[in-house]
Amino acid sequence: AIANLAMNEINQELIMSQGGIRLLARTANEAEDPQTLRMVAGALANLCGNDKLQVKLEEEDGIRALLGMVRSRNSDVLAQIARGVANFAKCESRGFAQGHKRNRSSLIDDGALPWIVAN
């Protein structure tokens, strides 16, 4: 259900403002069940597609949590992680192109590059 709620921009901002990114990150780090991980990864992937949430996702360890779920090795979870990385990269690239972002990629800082290469 949370993944579906996170598809809507208004809901995304509510999720963020109510501490949802931290809760999703904590759940991602503690859960072992593939279905739970798939839902959490899907929610984070949807949030990664919102330009306004990029900084919060970094600050509240949403990206690290997303990447950490690779431990499940479940193909559905991995697909959601890949979608999240793609969404985040798309928004980040737009930020670079528009001059809003000048540092190196947060995905590289959070360890996404080795995972991308390996998977």
Side-chain angles (χ1 to χ4, degrees), residues 67 85 104-119:
L67 295 172
V85 169
R104 78 181 193 172
S105 171
S106 300
L107 291 172
I108 291 173
D109 290 342
D110 284 342
L113 189 57
W115 182 80
I116 292 168
V117 171
N119 294 285

Side-chain angles (χ1 to χ4, degrees), residues 82-115:
R83 191 170 65 81
V85 169
N87 285 347
F88 193 90
K90 177 188 70 172
C91 290
E92 196 173 57
S93 293
R94 197 174 345 196
F96 284 123
Q98 294 173 350
H100 303 296
K101 187 163 175 80
R102 302 204 189 285
N103 302 335
R104 78 181 193 172
S105 171
S106 300
L107 291 172
I108 291 173
D109 290 342
D110 284 342
L113 189 57
W115 182 80

Side-chain angles (χ1 to χ4, degrees), residues 18-63:
Q18 298 297 314
I21 295 172
R22 284 192 200 282
L23 179 60
L24 288 167
R26 185 174 49 228
T27 303
N29 292 328
E30 295 173 1
E32 295 297 328
D33 172 56
Q35 181 152 341
T36 300
L37 291 172
R38 181 175 59 83
M39 289 296 148
V40 170
L44 286 169
N46 289 337
L47 296 175
C48 284
N50 185 327
D51 294 335
K52 299 173 194 169
L53 302 182
Q54 299 285 292
V55 172
K56 275 285 192 194
L57 284 161
E58 293 173 55
E59 290 175 349
E60 297 184 10
D61 290 329
I63 301 305

